[in-house]
Amino acid sequence: MKKKHAKLISIFMCFVLVLFAFGCQSNTESAFKAGKYTGIGKGIHGDIKVEVEVDDTKILSVKVLEHSETPGVSDSAIAKVPQEIVDGQTVAVDIVSGATYTSNGIIEGTKAALTEAGGDMEKLSQKKEDTTERKTEELTTDVVVIGAGGAGLAAATSANQNGAKVIVLEKMGKAGGNTAISGAAFNAVDTELQKEFGIEDSIDKHFQQTYEGGDKLADPELVEILVNNALPAIKWLESLGMEFEHKIFTVLGGMWPRAHDPEKVLGTGFIDTHMEYAEKSNGGVEVKINTNATELIKEGDRIVGVKAEGEDTDYVIKATKGVVIATGGFSQNKEMRDKYNKQWEDISNLMSTNHPGATGDGIIMAEKAGANLVGMEWIQLLPMGDPETGSLSGNIEQGVEDRIFINLDGNRFVDEGARRDVMTKALLEQKDQTMWTILDSHSYPTGDEENHFGETANELVKAGRAFKADTLEELAEMIGVDADSLVKAVEGFNKGVDEGKDEFGRTLFKDKIDKGPYYAGKRVPTVHHTMGGIQINTKAQAINAEGNVIPGLYAAGEVTGGIHGSNRLGGNALADINVFGKIAGESAAKGL
C-alpha cells in the first residue's frame, strides 16, 4: 500500500513539475521581437521621430532621431523622458514640466515603436511604483528665492553679487518658467539705438504709455522705477554675457518701437545667462529643481525661511537675510482665474500661453503669511494664441507695423496696434473668436527668417501652421475667406500707410502689404498675464494689509501687483522681471 501511495505521489509531483515547467516557459516567452523600431509622436512644432531598440525581454534604448522642438526648452524632455522609459521599462513616465508637448510626443512615438515590436501595451503602460523612502533635511543660507524663472534667477544673481549665499527652489523639472517660452521682447528706452532707426522716444513717453495703458491704476512710483531702470537692466544682463540683436521693434500691444530682442531663441538667453552665473558662483547660487516650496516660515512678524518638498526629501530652509517670492502668476489656475476675474465675461475655457507651473502658488503662500494682494481682478488676454495649444508659438508676425488681422469673413475689425485688451475684446466678438494674421514678404524675404520663437515661415507652412500664396486671392482660397474682402482689407491698410492713419485709428505703420508671396496664420484668444499679486514697494519689499513692510519678505515679477494696472504693455514683462528681480535680490542680500 505504501508503495502504491509512493507511486501516486511520484506521479503527482511529476505532473506538478510539468505544469511548473510549462508555466515558467510561458513567463519567459519573448516580450518583444528583438530589433530596432521607429515611431512618430506629435510635438509642439511638428513630428518627433523616435527609435526604440529592444531585445526579447526588455527595452534597451530610446532615442529621439528627429524633431523641430525649441532648443533650450525641449532639451530636458529629450534627455529625461527616454531615459526614464528605459529605467522603468514603462511608458507611464512623468512629463517634464515646461516641456509637456515634447514629452508627450516622445512617449507617443515610443508607444508606436513598441506596438510594432509586439509589446504588451497594457503592461507597458503601468506606472512603476515609487519605493523611495523620504528624508528630512534642514539647511541654512542667506537668501532663499522661490521660483527659477526670469525674476527669480535675476534676484538670485543680484543677491549673490551683493554678498549673499542663495538657494533657489523650483518646483518644475527645469529652470525657466514663462521667461523661457516667451517672445522675449524687452521694452527699454534706448535713445542712442532708436535714433539709428529714426525713432524718437523718452522715459516720459514710456511712463505715460505704461501708466495710461493700465488705466492709471498702477502705483506710479513702481512705474517710475520700471521705466527708469529698464535700460540699466539690459546693460546689467550684457555685463553678465547676454547678447541682444542690434534692432528695435514694436511688440504686440507695446504701443511704441522700444522692444529689444535677445540673440538666443525665445527667453532662453535670460535663463542661460543666470544659470551660467550660478554654475560659476562656487556654490554661491544653488538651484534645486523639482523642489516645491509649500510654506513660508514666520517668527513673530518676520519671514525667516521656507518649507519645501523635493523628489525624495522634505526641506526646512532658514534664510538669515530674506526670502524672495518669484513664482509667477496664475494664468494656468482656472479656479483662481474664475475667483478673481471681473474684467471678462467668461474665460474659464480659454487656453493659456503660460507654462504649466503658473498656478499662483506664491500668491497663496504670501497671502497666508499676511501679504496684501492688489489688482487681482485684472487678467490679460492676448489675441495671439495657437488654436491647438494656446501658446504663442507659431505666431508669424515679426512686428506690429507690417501686419493686419482679419476675421473669418476676410474683414479687418480692430486697430492692430492698440492695447492688448482692446484687440482681444474685439476678437472675442468675431465669428468663432478666430482671426487670421496677414503679412507679406517684407517680413519674410526668403521664408527662412525666424519669428520671435525661433521658427521660420517655411517651417510653419510645412507644418500646416501657416499658409503661403503668391497672390492674395490664392491666399484667401487657402484659408477659406472671401477674396474680395481680403483684398479690400489690405488696400485699406496700404492706404493707411500712405496717409499715416486709417478707419480703425491705427497709427503704427511701416511697409505696405504688397509684396508676394503672402502669409496667413490662424490665432485665437488666450490667457497671457495676471496683473495682480503681492503688493510691494520700490525696494521690492512685500507689504501687509495695514500698509507696513513684512520683514524678510520680498517679491518680484508676475507674482506682484501694482506695476501694470489693468493692462500690461507688450514688452514690459521682461523689463519688470529683470528690474524688480535685481532690486529684490539686492534688498534681500542687504536685509533691507
Side-chain angles (χ1 to χ4, degrees):
M1 193 71 177
K2 289 182 178 178
K3 289 182 179 180
K4 186 176 181 180
H5 284 165
K7 186 175 181 180
L8 287 172
I9 291 170
S10 296
I11 292 171
F12 176 74
M13 291 302 295
C14 288
F15 179 70
V16 171
L17 288 171
V18 169
L19 287 177
F20 179 75
F22 180 79
C24 288
Q25 184 178 359
S26 297
N27 288 335
T28 57
E29 280 183 356
S30 296
F32 307 104
K33 293 176 286 186
K36 292 182 178 180
Y37 301 86
T38 58
I40 302 294
K42 187 72 173 177
I44 194 168
H45 297 315
D47 290 342
I48 298 175
K49 186 176 182 180
V50 179
E51 178 188 83
V52 179
E53 183 177 5
V54 297
D55 64 12
D56 291 343
T57 60
K58 62 180 181 294
I59 304 169
L60 299 177
S61 68
V62 177
K63 298 177 181 177
V64 176
L65 299 181
E66 298 175 10
H67 70 89
S68 302
E69 305 300 274
T70 304
V73 177
S74 62
D75 294 352
S76 56
I78 292 171
K80 188 174 182 180
V81 174
Q83 188 60 51
E84 290 195 349
I85 291 172
V86 175
D87 290 344
Q89 294 294 299
T90 176
V91 292
V93 298
D94 293 332
I95 62 171
V96 173
S97 299
T100 301
Y101 294 98
T102 304
S103 300
N104 286 333
I106 296 169
I107 293 169
E108 182 185 347
T110 303
K111 285 181 177 179
L114 290 174
T115 299
E116 187 180 349
D120 184 337
M121 294 313 299
E122 184 177 349
K123 289 183 179 179
L124 289 167
S125 297
Q126 294 175 359
K127 192 170 182 65
K128 184 180 178 183
E129 184 180 354
D130 185 4
T131 59
T132 306
E133 185 176 341
R134 295 193 67 79
K135 56 187 178 181
T136 300
E137 188 173 346
E138 295 185 2
L139 303 172
T140 299
T141 189
D142 295 325
V143 174
V144 175
V145 176
I146 308 175
L153 291 178
T157 298
S158 175
N160 185 250
Q161 287 183 327
N162 282 276
K165 291 197 69 172
V166 185
I167 293 177
V168 183
L169 306 177
E170 172 55 54
K171 73 173 183 178
M172 309 301 277
K174 64 182 183 64
N178 278 337
T179 301
I181 59 173
S182 71
F186 189 131
N187 278 349
V189 174
D190 188 346
T191 54
E192 185 176 338
L193 179 60
Q194 288 170 302
K195 282 180 181 178
E196 291 185 31
F197 299 94
I199 301 164
E200 291 186 9
D201 200 6
S202 68
I203 296 292
D204 286 343
K205 183 187 286 288
H206 192 189
F207 175 88
Q208 289 300 327
Q209 290 177 332
T210 298
Y211 190 53
E212 293 174 4
D215 296 314
K216 299 182 179 180
L217 294 172
D219 180 337
E221 289 188 342
L222 297 181
V223 179
E224 286 279 5
I225 293 291
L226 174 71
V227 299
N228 279 288
N229 289 279
L231 185 60
I234 287 180
K235 300 301 183 184
W236 175 59
L237 289 165
E238 289 177 332
S239 74
L240 294 169
M242 187 170 173
E243 296 180 343
F244 290 83
E245 293 187 10
H246 192 79
K247 72 175 186 180
I248 290 286
F249 69 102
T250 307
V251 67
L252 177 83
M255 310 300 291
W256 200 254
R258 62 172 66 94
H260 296 66
D261 199 14
E263 286 281 356
K264 287 190 174 181
V265 67
L266 302 175
T268 57
F270 297 98
I271 305 306
D272 290 348
T273 296
H274 291 301
M275 291 299 286
E276 287 166 8
Y277 177 90
E279 290 173 8
K280 296 175 182 176
S281 68
N282 296 318
V285 176
E286 179 185 359
V287 181
K288 291 182 175 295
I289 62 171
N290 291 312
T291 305
N292 184 34
T294 57
E295 183 182 347
L296 296 172
I297 302 172
K298 197 172 186 180
E299 293 180 359
D301 63 350
R302 185 176 184 83
I303 302 301
V304 297
V306 179
K307 291 182 181 179
E309 297 175 351
E311 291 181 285
D312 56 10
T313 304
D314 295 324
Y315 294 99
V316 176
I317 309 175
K318 290 296 185 72
T320 61
K321 294 186 176 180
V323 174
V324 179
I325 299 181
T327 52
F330 56 94
S331 288
Q332 288 286 19
N333 188 326
K334 291 187 177 183
E335 290 183 2
M336 286 186 71
R337 279 162 34 180
D338 291 342
K339 175 182 177 180
Y340 290 108
N341 172 43
K342 295 178 182 177
Q343 183 178 8
W344 306 97
E345 184 175 338
D346 183 13
I347 59 174
S348 59
N349 293 319
L350 291 185
M351 297 177 287
S352 174
T353 63
N354 285 206
H355 80 113
T359 52
D361 305 7
I363 293 173
I364 295 169
M365 272 190 290
E367 186 178 29
K368 286 181 179 178
N372 191 42
L373 306 183
V374 294
M376 293 294 288
E377 67 270 33
W378 304 117
I379 298 173
Q380 184 171 81
L381 309 185
L382 280 188
M384 278 295 179
D386 181 278
E388 293 186 11
T389 67
S391 76
L392 291 179
S393 68
N395 180 9
I396 62 172
E397 73 172 14
Q398 293 280 28
V400 169
E401 288 86 353
D402 297 335
R403 52 89 176 117
I404 61 171
F405 302 153
I406 62 164
N407 59 23
L408 297 185
D409 293 322
N411 300 315
R412 289 178 65 202
F413 57 91
V414 71
D415 169 8
E416 299 92 347
R419 287 170 33 158
R420 289 176 165 183
D421 53 352
V422 171
M423 289 185 285
T424 308
K425 184 177 184 297
L427 177 56
L428 289 168
E429 295 170 354
Q430 305 306 307
K431 181 180 178 181
D432 295 340
Q433 298 181 345
T434 299
M435 71 177 189
W436 292 94
T437 301
I438 305 295
L439 44 76
D440 69 359
S441 292
H442 284 103
S443 297
Y444 294 98
T446 69
D448 288 326
E449 296 81 12
E450 294 183 346
N451 63 9
H452 299 295
F453 300 88
E455 306 155 320
T456 71
N458 289 334
E459 289 171 345
L460 293 174
V461 170
K462 183 179 178 181
R465 303 177 75 196
F467 294 86
K468 177 182 179 180
D470 290 330
T471 68
L472 289 171
E473 289 80 4
E474 290 174 5
L475 189 66
E477 183 176 357
M478 284 182 177
I479 64 177
V481 305
D482 181 72
D484 290 339
S485 296
L486 175 58
V487 170
K488 183 180 178 181
V490 171
E491 288 176 347
F493 169 78
N494 289 343
K495 182 181 178 183
V497 176
D498 289 333
E499 298 179 357
K501 63 180 180 179
D502 67 9
E503 60 181 308
F504 295 97
R506 177 169 174 154
T507 58
L508 292 172
F509 301 96
K510 187 181 177 186
D511 297 311
K512 293 182 179 180
I513 299 176
D514 61 0
K515 182 180 180 182
Y518 301 89
Y519 295 89
K522 185 181 286 187
R523 298 279 102 177
V524 299
T526 184
V527 180
H528 183 57
H529 191 96
T530 50
M531 272 73 72
I534 303 165
Q535 184 180 7
I536 60 170
N537 60 19
T538 57
K539 296 178 182 177
Q541 295 169 303
I543 305 299
N544 66 18
E546 290 72 42
N548 300 318
V549 167
I550 300 175
L553 186 61
Y554 309 83
E558 196 176 343
V559 77
T560 66
I563 297 173
H564 305 289
S566 62
N567 171 70
R568 178 178 64 76
L569 296 195
N572 272 4
L574 272 298
D576 174 5
I577 64 174
N578 283 285
V579 167
F580 285 97
K582 185 174 184 293
I583 291 170
E586 181 177 356
S587 294
K590 293 179 178 179
L592 298 180

